[in-house]
Amino acid sequence: MSVNIRTRFAPSPTGPLHIGGARSALFDYLIARKLGGTFIVRSEDTDRERSSAASEQNILEALRWLHIDWDEGIDAGGAYGPYRQTERLALYGQYTERLLKDGKAYHCYCTEEELEAERRSQLARGETPRYIGACRHLTEEQRAAYEAAGRKKVVRFHVPVGEQLVVRDLIRGEVVFDSGGIGDFIIVKSDGIPVYNYAVVIDDITMNITHVIRGDEHLSNTPRQLVLYQALGEPAPVFGHVSLILNTEGHKMSKRDGDTAVLDYRAKGYLPEALVNFVVLLGWSPSDEREFFTLEELTEQFSLERVAKSPAVFDVNKLNYINAHYLKQADPDRLAHLALPYLREEGLFVGELTDEAQRWIRDFVQAVLDHLAYLAQVKEYIHYFTGSEVPAAQAEVQDILTGEQAPQVIRLFKDKIQTAEDLSAEAVKGIIKAVTKELKLSGKLVFMPLRAALTGQMHGPELYHIVSLLGRENVLRRLARY
Ligand code: GLU
């Protein structure tokens, strides 16, 4: 049997792409890729006040950065466009006319005050507030009177009562709603703009969407969408509602938190492959103990059966651990390129890079790699590797530098650096060893004063890398006072 699988990611461009959105997009993408289907990206931009082109651009750029590429949709085009809801208003209008004509929807002229009064009296009776259909059976005269009075009108959908609405959810199982709890909801607002629950159904129908994987917050919308599918005589897609993402304190992650935006992680120097790996594990777990997956591997291994119902926890330490892993795997030239902006922020390497500078940056990043969770952290290390000044010294280093052996260690090391032909990391390693041998000292008694004198720190990246990358002149200047 060949089913033409079509999945979609349908963000509202009201802010940057956040981690939860990236997860929905990734899961939809993986389902499509795994089953040889089509992945679509479209925009739910009917909230004109909050939507912006900048947000749309941010979302698309973040998806591209993560390599979640789409076959159809915004920028990609396709046979089912346009892919922005504001460009599809005429289509929604046709559906609305049909529903009105079939008596499945009606114009409602109720004012805010009338609705509020109804809501209050329902609450007073202990009922769930919902629209009970005051305008459902208006006579021609009543309608004409409201029109003449200039009342605003919306279109409401007539929800049948007494029906069980069953969401067959690939993650949550069967979730049953009673249609009586819904009330006749608005499908088109007074400004003629359809609401999300309505437009999304028409989009999913007309784009032949087969699978909808989206955030848990939409599960409660699904019964409204199901009654619309019924009314339009169309089969609903298969749903999968992915659990909430909580922060480590157990609160819901909010899209307003700056550090939930995907591109914030790019700005800090996280690798996209690390973020994808981290995001997929917010809910999905593999059948074995493995932790690291490329997008290609996920395309084969991902399945909704292994997506948990329970909330996922966003733990930045886990992300750092995953990113550190991918940094160690990454091509050194790529990392040098990605690290450059942070070095420029420190006023270094401005202007065109020479080949030598490029090699230097590459070696520098490799020298500090074991210390990095993300690339912006190169800023914390760069000053040990450049310039003739020792960065501000920690207090403890004084004890090391006033140690009995320190002066002779530093002097002998200086002599050797002065005359050395080769200052490659390997050669510097040899020089340090030679100092230990000649002075008959333990490695520690040699390393510690040298590190203290050169960097002002007790710990840090390998000393021989620091010396090699500082170069003869800077090393000798840093040690000049000894
Ligand atoms: N526009 C909705 C959102 O950004 C998506 C709804 C859906 O996927 O059905 O949350």
Side-chain angles (χ1 to χ4, degrees):
M1 184 184 70
S2 113
V3 187
N4 195 2
I5 300 295
R6 290 172 60 84
T7 68
R8 78 337 183 249
F9 178 52
S12 310
T14 54
L17 182 68
H18 54 109
I19 295 286
R23 183 183 58 171
S24 297
L26 179 61
F27 286 8
D28 278 298
Y29 165 90
L30 290 172
I31 297 281
R33 289 290 169 270
K34 182 173 178 175
L35 302 175
T38 304
F39 175 59
I40 297 149
V41 172
R42 62 181 201 225
S43 170
E44 304 208 322
D45 60 346
T46 50
D47 184 343
R48 281 174 161 158
E49 257 167 43
R50 293 175 58 231
S51 297
S52 73
S55 292
E56 185 185 287
Q57 277 314 308
N58 175 290
I59 292 167
L60 301 183
E61 194 178 330
L63 291 175
R64 284 193 194 101
W65 178 62
L66 294 172
H67 298 287
I68 301 176
D69 49 326
W70 55 103
D71 311 296
E72 228 180 77
I74 300 173
D75 287 0
Y80 299 81
Y83 292 94
R84 286 186 192 90
Q85 287 185 334
T86 50
E87 294 165 14
R88 298 168 66 78
L89 297 178
L91 175 73
Y92 307 134
Q94 288 166 18
Y95 276 83
T96 308
E97 263 168 45
R98 194 172 123 195
L99 288 173
L100 286 168
K101 203 165 114 253
D102 294 351
K104 292 176 176 167
Y106 56 91
H107 284 118
C108 166
Y109 297 85
C110 291
T111 62
E112 295 278 340
E113 295 74 34
E114 286 163 350
L115 294 173
E116 183 54 26
E118 180 179 298
R119 208 180 73 88
R120 276 170 203 270
S121 66
Q122 283 174 338
L123 281 174
R125 290 196 300 271
E127 293 169 11
T128 315
R130 64 192 186 286
Y131 188 76
I132 44 156
C135 290
R136 206 183 279 160
H137 305 292
L138 291 180
T139 62
E140 272 314 310
E141 291 74 39
Q142 284 169 314
R143 203 187 317 272
Y146 283 145
E147 292 277 348
R151 280 207 185 196
K152 283 188 180 164
K153 63 174 180 234
V154 298
V155 182
R156 285 189 187 269
F157 180 71
H158 184 165
V159 178
V161 285
E163 282 191 29
Q164 289 220 317
L165 300 166
V166 184
V167 183
R168 293 198 169 76
D169 193 293
L170 291 175
I171 297 166
R172 318 274 311 206
E174 276 194 3
V175 188
V176 183
F177 293 87
D178 173 10
S179 71
I182 301 178
D184 290 358
F185 59 95
I186 296 174
I187 54 175
V188 182
K189 292 180 289 180
S190 59
D191 58 4
I193 305 291
V195 302
Y196 156 69
N197 276 316
Y198 182 48
V200 74
V201 165
I202 296 171
D203 288 349
D204 285 339
I205 289 171
T206 53
M207 293 184 193
N208 289 337
I209 300 300
T210 58
H211 293 66
V212 170
I213 315 304
R214 62 186 173 193
D216 222 2
E217 67 272 23
H218 291 296
L219 181 60
S220 59
N221 286 321
T222 313
R224 285 183 179 76
Q225 297 172 16
L226 287 180
V227 288
L228 286 164
Y229 281 105
Q230 281 177 3
L232 294 167
E234 298 281 350
V238 174
F239 292 100
H241 288 94
V242 198
S243 68
L244 285 178
I245 302 177
L246 304 179
N247 59 27
T248 45
E249 281 106 60
H251 300 131
K252 186 175 184 277
M253 291 275 288
S254 150
K255 145 145 114 168
R256 278 175 279 277
D257 294 336
D259 56 359
T260 62
V262 168
L263 290 183
D264 287 351
Y265 290 94
R266 180 175 72 174
K268 283 186 178 165
Y270 286 87
L271 298 177
E273 58 269 39
L275 213 66
V276 160
N277 197 144
F278 172 71
V279 165
V280 84
L281 295 176
L282 291 171
W284 178 75
S285 58
S287 52
D288 54 25
E289 296 293 298
R290 285 176 56 200
E291 294 179 286
F292 301 110
F293 300 89
T294 63
L295 202 48
E296 254 168 39
E297 289 165 342
L298 289 172
T299 299
E300 279 169 24
Q301 302 194 17
F302 181 79
S303 77
L304 287 174
E305 282 109 67
R306 300 201 59 84
V307 172
K309 274 188 229 169
S310 50
V313 175
F314 183 100
D315 179 0
V316 78
N317 293 322
K318 175 92 188 262
L319 172 59
N320 286 344
Y321 164 77
I322 292 175
N323 199 56
H325 167 86
Y326 282 100
L327 285 175
K328 289 183 190 96
Q329 313 261 309
D331 172 54
D333 285 316
R334 174 182 174 214
L335 295 185
H337 174 72
L338 293 173
L340 182 60
Y342 309 109
L343 302 180
R344 289 194 164 144
E345 281 171 25
E346 298 294 290
L348 299 161
F349 301 106
V350 279
E352 190 101 346
L353 282 189
T354 61
D355 287 352
E356 195 193 346
Q358 247 165 47
R359 272 198 302 278
W360 191 97
I361 296 170
R362 189 190 59 202
D363 293 347
F364 158 68
V365 176
Q366 292 302 308
V368 296
L369 206 53
D370 284 345
H371 299 263
L372 300 181
Y374 51 92
L375 284 168
Q377 289 173 328
V378 294
K379 289 160 77 165
E380 294 167 28
Y381 293 101
I382 186 63
H383 299 291
Y384 303 125
F385 289 81
T386 50
S388 54
E389 299 286 322
V390 179
Q394 287 181 327
E396 308 98 284
V397 304
Q398 280 319 315
D399 298 341
I400 306 279
L401 290 170
T402 49
E404 203 188 325
Q405 324 285 353
Q408 51 170 342
V409 167
I410 296 174
R411 243 175 284 126
L412 181 57
F413 180 74
K414 268 163 70 173
D415 290 347
K416 289 191 182 296
I417 292 292
Q418 222 140 18
T419 53
E421 272 173 29
D422 180 6
L423 280 189
S424 66
E426 272 312 302
V428 175
K429 218 177 190 175
I431 292 173
I432 297 172
K433 212 173 192 169
V435 174
T436 350
K437 270 202 171 152
E438 276 175 48
L439 298 178
K440 297 201 174 49
L441 291 174
S442 72
K444 198 174 163 203
L445 280 177
V446 172
F447 285 132
M448 290 303 280
L450 288 178
R451 180 183 292 284
L454 280 165
T455 70
Q457 300 293 308
M458 306 283 287
H459 306 283
E462 294 290 1
L463 194 57
Y464 52 88
H465 283 309
I466 296 180
V467 171
S468 174
L469 288 164
L470 271 173
R472 193 188 323 269
E473 207 174 306
N474 284 331
V475 169
L476 292 176
R477 285 211 190 132
R478 284 188 180 203
L479 299 180
R481 69 175 112 136
Y482 300 95

